């Protein structure tokens, strides 16, 4: 229980500190009071708004952000980066942290570029080296350690390079079809209400495709995403706590059984059943409180370590202040849990009769007949549900989580009952005595089968799930390293560059696996409803979001291998120029915009309106390394629209890849390249970091499971020793007693871990089938290793617990334990 | 030569930093097939002596020779083997394995020997003590008298040459105690087993052939029952 409370206190404190840090650092997250952004070049109307705001601002700054290639001229290394071309004194809040510290000032005066530290490390570059961006060469003014709103995590995926915006035009990086994000940063005088300004301008901004972010909206969105993370981790911690609760319930059950004689004596002396119940209730609640205090202290200590795990994933600096709120929550939880999970055993105290003093044997009371027991179970269920509701956003999720907990526990309980029944029915009478005795201990009175299957089974299910999910994620990526699959994607190729790049690729001996034209457009109307209509009508089934996105669309006359037609007819080409095109939608996109066969969609292709009808719906396998599209036009409609191209190829090795990338960057500086091998290593690193965070949390559950295992073995120690000593008295050799003990715990561990593995296999099969949509291929070797490790560990704990019996004379042990 | 020879036997335990002597200089020899009672007040060392005679503990001084085997020369496993081969036990608090049924408890000594086809023999023994009907009951489902009868059946299951009984009727009411007592002597007579009985019940002790009296860890008297009765 202490560990469960510790996990939750640490997570609650993390959440508290994150909220506080986001509050205090929100301004540095966005770096300005207002960030207006758009993914298209501003129209005169948009420009009017942008310029008019400049008059109210005390400082303005402008940025163009896009993916581009960087070339380190000294080593010839190239990589796709996030280029941030800046004009003005942004950030207005927070600072660009650079090495040397003076580099930021140098950058603002136009002396070179700032390069992210991960890039500098990767290409072993130094300050003063030259890099090529587009057609221009720049000196590296400094290393960028931290920019406003940029997390270590984000810079691993797309490291940032800051360059002067004025140099963009000459660099040749900005071409037709280039996917540029335009940002306009404003700083207002203190006291200025930016949120009110944005509210006032909302409709106009929407109309001009301008998104507005203020300090308070950034605070809200960042806070929300991290609240989601901490809530998820709280649920993982809560499961660790529930495992501890099983331990609490089992310990109190045994404790109460041992105390029946004492209670009966007290009852003889005039103690009422209520008083007897209260004595032990107060005792257990006090122990629960002490456990909760210990958990809170441990959790607070663990919280100091959490920044080491999370800092890379966060865009803010984490503090580790003691959270009294989290400690309070932990204490309340600890007391509630000690109370609730001991209650089912404690209520049986009311039924202890004074007659027990006269009986040589204490009869087992039937708790199932006590209606209060069911009331206690209901209380526990209500407690789990309430806790889950506090962490989850709606009742459906709460219900699913609580149901999953109840089903898992019921399944584990059911399995242990089934195993006990099966062993009794199909008992192998022909086996050797020690094997039979070890096996039969699983169903004999006072057996530990249920408690161990619950605790060890759940722990195993956890370990396996983590393992399976991680291998599923990596298998998705490693499938792309298959030698038959493409591994390099060139994009942002202008139509005028297409032939030359194709020729260069072929001359290097690489195949052209795909050559796809891409046209950018926006959805203007769905069945005659525009974004403005939808916004006005709150009951409309269409979402305004459907109109916001910039769509990248292709045109062709056939389906690719990754596509499958699920309804309608795929139109290959329009018959006459005046015909309305019948486009094909990807199924989830169709669902998202609420469009079906026959619906009329009007697109704005860079100023030109093109009417279409939904002619077919496709299913797309997004896992393939190739270009896939939500929208496909037939030939003859947008063939001449402004477009860029994507070329997919396969390079044989890292050296060939580097040499080819250098040629492309030198000859076609605006073209960007995705090197899958690099992406693979980056994603692997990220998965490792995320995996570590999850493993850290799951570690609490596993350790709790082990502690429950050790304590349940310890609880039964005296009974086991008594039995083993008796066997020794009757002539059993050390080997026989050892074999019986080892086999009993091996069977227990094996059943518990197998049950956990079955749960994990079923759950992960469902995950693979319905969520990841990939075939589930568990690594059976790893499964076997997990099975052997957990069975072996359970056996080891059991043997260690019984070791005194093996070496000492029987009378000596009995005397020591009496 | 007797089945059990005890020579200069002594036992002491560390207590509060000093050795506490429980037994000292105990000597006796018991003939096969005889019945002997060890009596004495509480704390006189009766149970300790029984434990040493059965090889359940190691002596501090002297030695115990059971059926020609000197316990001092044996390790734990070898002594366990001797117990399994030659010894039967009956305890005051029955000492049945709570996780085994009555029948399984009776079968244990034979199981440990690796014998086969033991179910019928064990059932026959339970039948002798009048509990064949309750063979599949667990100890908690049996009364004290019934548990002691199961204990009797178990003690005789391995056809022991010597039976150690520690206050066998101590936890039973008079009527049940008498029944168990009768059963003990009858089974003992049928099997021709040597009986070592530890008790403070002089009436029970008087039913044996010889009484060894212990006082403060030493043999105070060791006489045949006839002499004690002044014959």
């Amino acid at each position: 229980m202490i560990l469960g409370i510790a996990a939750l206190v640490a997570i609650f404190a993390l959440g508290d500190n994150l909220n506080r840090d986001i509050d205090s650092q929100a301004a540095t997250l966005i770096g300005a009071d207002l960030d207006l952004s758009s993914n298209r070049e501003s129209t005169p109307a948009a420009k009017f708004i942008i310029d008019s705001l400049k008059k109210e601002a005390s400082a303005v700054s402008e940025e163009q952000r896009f993916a581009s290639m960087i070339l380190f001229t000294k080593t010839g290394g190239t990589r796709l980066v996030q280029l941030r071309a800046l004009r003005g004194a942004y950030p207005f809040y927070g600072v660009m942290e650079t090495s040397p510290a003076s580099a930021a000032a140098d950058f603002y005066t136009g002396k070179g570029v700032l390069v992210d530290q991960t890039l500098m490390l990767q290409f072993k570059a130094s300050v003063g080296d030259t890099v090529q961006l587009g057609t221009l060469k720049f000196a590296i003014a400094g290393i960028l350690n931290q920019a406003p709103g940029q997390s270590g995590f984000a810079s691993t995926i797309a490291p940032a390079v800051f360059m002067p915006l004025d140099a963009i035009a000459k660099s040749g990086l900005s071409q037709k079809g280039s996917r540029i994000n335009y940002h306009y940063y404003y700083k207002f005088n203190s006291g200025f209400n930016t949120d009110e300004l944005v509210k006032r301008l909302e409709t106009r901004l929407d109309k001009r495709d301008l998104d507005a972010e203020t300090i308070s909206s950034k605070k809200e969105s960042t806070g929300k995403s991290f609240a989601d993370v901490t809530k998820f981790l709280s649920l993982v911690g809560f499961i660790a706590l529930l495992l501890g609760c099983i331990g609490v319930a089992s310990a109190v059950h045994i404790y109460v059984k041992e105390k029946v004689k004492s209670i009966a004596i007290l009852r003889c002396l005039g103690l009422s059943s209520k008083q007897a119940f209260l004595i032990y209730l107060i005792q257990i609640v006090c122990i629960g409180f002490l456990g909760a205090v210990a958990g809170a202290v441990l959790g607070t200590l663990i919280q100091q370590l959490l920044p080491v795990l999370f800092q890379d994933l966060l865009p803010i600096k984490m503090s580790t202040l003691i959270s009294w709120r989290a400690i309070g929550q932990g204490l309340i939880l600890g007391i509630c849990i000690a109370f609730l999970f001991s209650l089912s055993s404690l209520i049986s105290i009311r039924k202890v009769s004074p007659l027990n003093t006269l009986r040589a044997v204490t009869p087992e009371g039937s708790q199932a007949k006590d209606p209060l027991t069911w009331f206690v179970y209901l209380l526990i269920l209500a407690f789990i549900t309430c806790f889950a509701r506090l962490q989850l956003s709606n009742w459906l999720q709460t219900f699913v989580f609580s149901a999953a907990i109840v089903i898992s526990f019921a399944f584990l309980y059911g399995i242990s009952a089934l195993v006990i029944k099966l062993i009794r029915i199909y008992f192998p009478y022909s086996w050797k005595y020690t094997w039979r005795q070890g096996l039969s201990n699983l169903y004999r009175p006072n057996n530990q089968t249920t408690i161990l299957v619950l605790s060890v089974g759940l722990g195993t299910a956890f370990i396996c799930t983590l393992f399976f999910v991680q291998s599923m994620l990596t298998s998705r990526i490693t499938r792309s390293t298959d030698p038959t699959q493409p591994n390099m994607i060139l994009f942002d190729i202008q139509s005028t560059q297409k032939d030359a790049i194709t020729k260069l690729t072929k001359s290097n001996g690489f195949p052209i696996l795909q050559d796809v034209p891409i046209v950018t457009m926006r959805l203007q109307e769905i069945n005659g409803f525009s974004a403005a209509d939808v916004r006005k009508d709150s009951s409309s089934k269409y979402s305004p979001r459907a109109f916001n996105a910039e769509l990248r669309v292709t045109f062709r006359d056939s389906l690719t291998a990754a596509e499958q037609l699920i309804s309608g007819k795929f139109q290959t080409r329009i018959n006459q120029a005046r015909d309305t095109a019948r486009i094909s939608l990807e199924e989830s996109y169709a669902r998202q915009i609420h469009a079906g066969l026959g619906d009329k969609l009007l697109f704005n292709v860079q100023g030109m309106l093109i009417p279409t009808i939904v002619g077919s719906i496709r299913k797309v396998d997004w896992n393939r390394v190739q270009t896939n599209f939500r929208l496909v036009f037939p030939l003859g409609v947008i063939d001449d629209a402004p477009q860029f191209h994507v070329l997919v190829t396969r390079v044989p090795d890292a050296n060939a890849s580097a040499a080819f990338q250098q040629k492309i960057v030198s000859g076609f500086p605006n073209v960007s390249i995705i090197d899958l091998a690099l992406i693979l290593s980056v994603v692997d690193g990220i998965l490792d970091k995320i995996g570590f965070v999850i493993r850290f949390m799951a570690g609490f559950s596993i350790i709790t499971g082990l502690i429950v295992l050790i304590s349940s073995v310890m609880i039964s120690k005296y009974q086991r020793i008594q039995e083993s000593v008796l066997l020794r008295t009757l002539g059993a050799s050390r080997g026989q007693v050892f074999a019986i003990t080892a086999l009993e715990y091996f069977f227990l561990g094996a059943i518990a871990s197998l049950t956990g593995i079955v749960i994990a296999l079923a759950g992960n099969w469902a995950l693979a089938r319905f969520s990841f949509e990939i075939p589930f291929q568990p690594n059976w070797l790893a499964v076997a290793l997990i099975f052997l490790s957990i069975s072996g560990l359970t056996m080891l704990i059991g043997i260690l617990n019984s070791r005194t019996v093996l070496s000492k004379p029987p009378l000596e042990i009995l005397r020591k334990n009496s | 030569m007797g089945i059990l020879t005890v020579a200069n036997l002594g036992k002491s335990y560390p207590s509060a930093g000093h050795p506490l002597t429980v037994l000292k200089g105990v000597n006796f020899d018991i003939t096969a097939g005889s019945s002997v009672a060890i009596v004495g007040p509480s704390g006189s060392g009766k149970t300790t002596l029984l434990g040493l005679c059965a090889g359940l503990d190691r002596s501090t001084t002297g030695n115990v020779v059971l059926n020609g085997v000197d316990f001092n020369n044996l390790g734990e496993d070898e002594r366990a083997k001797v117990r399994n081969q030659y010894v039967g036990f009956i305890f005051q608090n029955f000492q049945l394995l709570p996780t085994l049924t009555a029948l399984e408890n009776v079968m244990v000594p034979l199981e440990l020997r690796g014998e086969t086809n033991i179910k019928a023999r064990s059932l026959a023994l339970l039948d002798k003590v009048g509990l064949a009907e309750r063979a599949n009951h667990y100890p908690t489902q049996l009364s004290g008298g019934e548990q002691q009868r199961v204990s009797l059946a178990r003690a005789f299951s391995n056809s022991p040459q010597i039976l150690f009984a520690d206050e066998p009727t101590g936890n039973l009411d008079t009527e049940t105690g008498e029944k168990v007592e009768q059963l003990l002597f009858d089974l003992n007579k049928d099997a021709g087993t040597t009986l070592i009985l530890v008790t403070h019940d002089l009436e029970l002790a008087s039913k044996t052939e010889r009484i060894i009296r212990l006082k403060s860890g030493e043999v105070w008297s060791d006489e045949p029952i006839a002499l004690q009765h002044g014959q």
Side-chain angles (χ1 to χ4, degrees):
Chain A
M1 192 185 92
I2 292 174
L3 279 183
I5 297 284
L8 284 175
V9 168
I11 295 302
F12 289 155
L14 172 78
D16 260 12
N17 277 316
L18 271 177
N19 279 338
R20 204 177 299 137
D21 294 341
I22 290 167
D23 271 358
S24 64
Q25 298 172 40
T28 63
L29 280 174
I30 115 166
D33 287 311
L34 173 67
D35 169 13
L36 280 188
S37 63
S38 174
N39 49 18
R40 58 200 272 195
E41 205 167 354
S42 47
T43 57
K47 193 138 181 52
F48 179 76
I49 298 173
I50 292 161
D51 290 343
S52 63
L53 285 175
K54 282 180 185 169
K55 289 171 198 157
E56 299 189 51
S58 59
V60 289
S61 199
E62 198 175 323
E63 181 189 326
Q64 289 182 22
R65 201 183 288 184
F66 53 97
S68 178
M69 298 302 288
I70 189 169
L71 168 70
F72 289 82
T73 52
K74 194 167 78 179
T75 53
T78 56
R79 182 167 172 183
L80 187 69
V81 295
Q82 187 188 47
L83 202 57
R84 298 182 67 174
L86 197 63
R87 180 190 296 138
Y90 176 86
F92 308 125
Y93 303 108
V95 288
M96 297 257 202
E97 287 177 23
T98 57
S99 309
S102 59
D106 289 346
F107 166 74
Y108 289 120
T109 52
K111 295 175 191 158
V113 294
L114 297 174
V115 178
D116 188 280
Q117 54 178 343
T118 55
L119 273 177
M120 297 293 282
L121 282 173
Q122 185 189 348
F123 295 103
K124 296 184 180 66
S126 331
V127 174
D129 285 358
T130 307
V131 290
Q132 186 178 329
L133 293 161
T135 53
L136 296 180
K137 288 184 176 161
F138 297 89
I140 300 174
I143 303 166
L144 181 67
N145 298 321
Q146 179 73 42
Q150 189 121 1
S151 68
F153 187 62
S155 67
T156 318
I157 302 167
V161 173
F162 279 84
M163 69 174 280
L165 181 61
D166 297 332
I168 278 281
K170 285 181 232 159
S171 69
L173 288 166
S174 174
Q175 304 256 350
K176 200 182 284 176
S178 293
R179 293 152 314 111
I180 302 173
N181 272 299
Y182 299 85
H183 289 261
Y184 305 92
Y185 300 108
Y186 300 86
K187 184 186 182 204
F188 299 109
N189 291 323
S190 63
F192 186 86
N193 193 333
T194 317
D195 293 311
E196 205 178 286
L197 170 80
V198 170
K199 204 169 175 190
R200 197 157 27 96
L201 291 174
E202 199 173 6
T203 326
R204 286 171 65 198
L205 292 173
D206 253 7
K207 224 176 195 172
R208 308 299 167 211
D209 289 325
L210 286 165
D211 292 324
E213 182 99 83
T214 64
I215 293 173
S216 59
S217 68
K218 184 77 181 173
K219 200 189 286 185
E220 198 181 317
S221 61
T222 314
K224 195 178 173 314
S225 18
F226 290 110
D228 288 346
V229 173
T230 51
K231 281 177 176 179
F232 165 74
L233 293 175
S234 305
L235 288 176
V236 177
F238 185 56
I239 292 173
L241 189 59
L242 282 181
L243 270 180
C245 293
I246 301 172
V248 169
S250 128
V252 174
H253 178 69
I254 304 272
Y255 180 69
V256 167
K257 261 175 98 174
E258 280 175 2
K259 292 289 170 193
V260 164
K261 274 264 181 224
S262 315
I263 298 165
I265 294 168
L266 288 170
R267 297 285 327 267
C268 281
L269 299 175
L271 191 80
S272 71
S273 62
K274 190 179 160 193
Q275 284 172 316
F277 170 74
L278 283 175
I279 286 173
Y280 288 94
L281 179 68
I282 291 166
Q283 187 183 349
I284 298 292
V285 169
C286 287
I287 293 171
F289 176 73
L290 289 176
V293 169
V297 171
L298 184 62
T300 307
L301 291 175
I302 291 169
Q303 177 221 338
Q304 308 300 312
L305 300 173
L306 290 180
V308 180
L309 297 175
F310 288 93
Q311 188 62 71
D312 275 0
L313 309 175
L314 300 174
I316 50 166
K317 286 208 163 59
M318 283 177 72
S319 57
T320 51
L321 295 175
I322 290 175
S323 164
W324 293 107
R325 190 166 151 234
I327 290 173
Q329 285 171 317
L331 292 181
I332 292 169
L333 260 178
I335 293 167
C336 285
I337 273 166
F339 172 73
L340 281 175
F341 283 83
S342 58
L343 210 53
S344 63
S345 300
L346 288 177
I347 53 171
S348 67
I349 288 176
R350 299 173 305 125
K351 305 266 173 177
V352 173
S353 156
L355 258 179
N356 277 279
T357 45
L358 305 177
R359 287 187 190 142
V361 178
T362 310
E364 288 267 332
S366 172
Q367 280 193 24
K369 284 177 192 159
D370 192 341
L372 262 184
T373 309
W374 294 103
F375 177 67
V376 171
Y377 292 155
L378 269 178
L379 271 182
I380 291 173
L381 191 63
F383 167 75
I384 294 172
T385 311
C386 288
F387 184 88
R389 181 65 185 89
L390 287 174
Q391 310 305 320
L392 295 165
S393 51
N394 59 50
W395 279 108
L396 180 69
Q397 287 177 355
T398 306
F399 172 74
V400 170
F401 177 80
S402 309
I405 292 270
V406 172
I407 290 169
S408 301
F409 277 69
F411 180 76
L412 287 162
Y413 181 83
I415 287 280
S416 72
L418 183 71
V419 165
I420 289 172
K421 196 167 181 179
L422 287 177
I423 292 173
R424 293 186 93 128
I425 295 172
Y426 301 105
F427 193 76
Y429 290 101
S430 57
W431 286 11
K432 216 175 142 189
Y433 170 67
T434 43
W435 284 77
R436 277 185 285 126
Q437 181 71 24
L439 189 63
S440 58
N441 279 349
L442 300 187
Y443 62 77
R444 293 192 187 287
N446 298 326
N447 68 70
Q448 300 168 85
T449 310
T450 304
I451 175 84
L452 282 187
V453 167
L454 274 174
S455 57
V456 180
L458 213 58
T460 312
F462 245 122
I463 301 171
C464 279
T465 300
L466 282 174
F467 182 79
F468 288 149
V469 167
Q470 200 158 0
S471 35
M472 268 192 272
L473 289 175
T474 39
S475 82
R476 265 173 79 131
I477 301 158
T478 45
R479 279 206 294 170
S480 20
T481 58
D482 184 328
T484 61
Q485 294 275 319
N487 62 3
M488 185 175 278
I489 299 167
L490 286 76
F491 59 101
D492 283 347
I493 302 169
Q494 299 299 306
S495 295
T496 50
Q497 299 169 319
K498 197 185 103 180
D499 291 340
I501 290 177
T502 307
K503 202 173 158 192
L504 179 67
T505 310
K506 284 182 177 166
S507 68
N508 276 272
F510 309 143
I512 304 292
L513 297 170
Q514 259 193 317
D515 171 9
V516 184
I518 293 176
V519 176
T520 54
M521 60 180 71
R522 274 167 187 276
L523 184 57
Q524 189 81 18
E525 285 178 11
I526 308 175
N527 289 327
F529 292 97
S530 68
D533 297 332
V534 170
R535 262 185 222 107
K536 271 183 223 154
D537 179 7
S538 58
S539 63
S540 173
K541 65 173 179 174
Y542 304 117
S543 160
R545 282 186 184 177
F547 304 93
N548 286 345
E550 188 178 55
L551 301 164
R552 291 180 183 85
V553 175
T554 194
F555 50 92
R556 53 177 139 86
D557 59 2
S558 58
L559 293 171
T560 66
E563 294 172 327
Q564 191 192 339
L565 201 65
I566 51 175
S567 63
K569 193 178 167 216
F570 187 80
Q571 189 179 31
T572 55
R573 166 185 291 279
I574 56 162
N575 298 325
Q576 289 177 3
R578 281 178 300 171
D579 283 357
T580 305
R582 295 188 166 269
I583 57 167
S584 180
L585 300 191
E586 188 268 330
E587 57 171 343
S588 60
Y589 178 64
R591 263 200 311 273
Q592 192 189 323
I593 64 166
H594 296 282
L597 289 179
D599 280 346
K600 290 176 182 165
L601 306 183
L602 181 68
F603 291 97
N604 181 337
V605 185
Q606 290 156 59
M608 184 182 230
L609 296 179
I610 297 182
T612 63
I613 293 172
V614 179
S616 64
I617 309 282
R618 288 161 304 130
K619 187 185 174 81
V620 174
D621 177 5
W622 293 98
N623 293 319
R624 295 203 183 198
V625 182
Q626 65 173 61
T627 51
N628 282 314
F629 294 89
R630 292 185 289 183
L631 256 163
V632 176
F633 271 65
L635 295 181
V637 188
I638 52 172
D639 305 24
D640 296 327
Q643 57 192 256
F644 64 94
H645 296 259
V646 171
L647 193 144
V648 181
T649 183
R650 173 162 192 91
V651 292
D653 54 56
N655 287 339
S657 167
F660 182 58
Q661 285 190 50
Q662 273 180 42
K663 284 179 196 164
I664 293 285
V665 175
S666 309
F668 311 93
N670 62 299
V671 173
S672 299
I673 304 164
I674 295 175
D675 180 353
L676 241 50
L678 179 68
I679 297 278
L680 197 71
S681 67
V682 168
V683 173
D684 251 357
I686 293 166
L687 278 181
D688 260 2
K689 278 183 183 167
I690 296 174
F692 184 70
V693 172
I694 296 174
R695 274 199 298 275
F696 182 79
M697 289 309 299
F700 281 100
S701 302
I702 294 157
I703 295 171
T704 309
L706 284 178
I707 291 174
V708 171
L709 164 66
I710 293 169
S711 58
S712 54
V713 171
M714 295 293 282
I715 285 165
S716 65
K717 178 173 178 165
Y718 298 115
Q719 184 195 324
R720 297 283 148 183
I721 284 182
Q722 189 78 18
E723 282 181 21
S724 300
V725 167
L726 260 173
L727 283 172
R728 299 274 286 139
T729 304
L730 296 174
S733 68
R734 269 183 297 193
Q736 283 173 315
V737 175
F738 177 86
I740 290 169
T741 312
L743 286 167
E744 176 185 352
Y745 284 102
F746 177 76
F747 288 136
L748 269 176
I751 292 165
S753 54
L754 260 183
T755 312
I757 287 169
V758 168
I759 289 178
L761 281 172
N764 285 280
W765 171 83
L767 260 184
R769 172 87 177 73
F770 302 111
S771 179
F772 293 109
E773 295 184 0
I774 53 171
F776 179 47
Q777 290 160 333
N779 180 344
W780 292 112
L781 180 70
V783 169
L785 278 177
I786 291 174
F787 168 76
L788 287 175
S789 316
I790 292 178
S791 310
L793 190 66
T794 313
M795 190 170 81
L796 188 71
I797 292 170
I799 291 170
L800 286 177
N801 188 52
S802 313
R803 68 192 185 284
T804 46
V805 179
L806 301 174
S807 52
K808 301 258 169 80
L811 216 58
E812 192 180 321
I813 299 155
L814 277 178
R815 203 171 283 128
K816 265 189 187 167
N817 290 295
S818 63
Chain B
M1 185 175 161
I3 190 164
L4 179 70
T5 305
V6 170
N8 194 30
L9 197 66
K11 179 74 185 174
S12 48
Y13 299 103
S15 172
H18 300 284
L20 172 73
T21 303
V22 183
L23 282 178
K24 54 185 171 191
V26 176
N27 292 287
F28 57 78
D29 191 87
I30 291 170
T31 323
S34 63
S35 59
V36 180
I38 299 172
V39 298
S42 294
S44 59
K46 302 186 295 290
T47 304
T48 305
L49 177 60
L50 182 123
L52 290 171
C53 290
L56 295 177
D57 205 354
R58 288 180 179 278
S59 61
T60 314
T61 59
N63 60 344
V64 175
V65 178
L66 182 81
N67 210 23
V69 182
D70 187 344
F71 277 142
N72 279 0
N73 301 329
L74 303 182
E76 276 307 318
D77 270 358
E78 288 157 319
R79 283 193 282 167
K81 200 174 172 187
V82 169
R83 284 197 295 275
N84 188 241
Q85 278 183 327
Y86 307 126
V87 180
F89 284 101
I90 296 167
F91 300 97
Q92 180 177 1
N93 51 0
F94 327 131
Q95 297 286 19
L96 295 177
L97 287 158
T99 57
L100 304 185
T101 62
L103 176 63
E104 287 166 336
N105 263 290
V106 177
M107 285 158 68
V108 166
L110 302 170
E111 294 269 26
L112 291 172
R113 281 183 182 191
E115 288 191 24
T116 50
N117 300 324
I118 54 178
K119 197 172 173 184
R121 279 157 63 193
S122 305
L123 266 174
L125 272 166
L126 273 180
D127 193 33
K128 266 192 181 176
V129 298
L131 286 174
E133 304 269 304
R134 315 206 61 177
N136 292 321
H137 285 67
Y138 285 98
T140 50
Q141 297 166 315
L142 301 172
S143 70
E146 287 169 331
Q147 288 189 59
Q148 194 60 304
R149 280 191 277 158
V150 174
S151 174
L152 271 172
R154 181 180 68 185
F156 284 97
S157 67
N158 59 339
S159 310
Q161 295 195 18
I162 187 162
L163 185 71
F164 291 99
D166 182 12
E167 300 282 13
T169 56
N171 265 355
L172 303 174
D173 59 73
T174 316
E175 196 181 334
T176 314
E178 277 170 5
K179 281 183 190 163
V180 168
E181 210 176 280
Q182 191 58 48
L183 211 48
L184 170 65
F185 283 106
D186 288 350
L187 285 168
N188 191 49
K189 197 175 162 190
D190 290 350
T193 313
T194 309
L195 175 66
I196 313 285
L197 188 67
V198 166
T199 182
H200 55 248
D201 179 353
L202 289 177
E203 199 183 325
L204 174 63
S206 66
K207 292 176 182 167
T208 61
E209 296 163 1
R210 176 179 164 192
I211 296 180
I212 299 172
R213 287 171 196 274
L214 285 186
K215 199 172 177 184
S216 304
E218 292 179 276
V219 176
W220 190 56
S221 71
D222 180 356
E223 293 166 335
I225 202 79
L227 281 179
Q228 297 203 15
H229 287 202
Q231 290 165 6

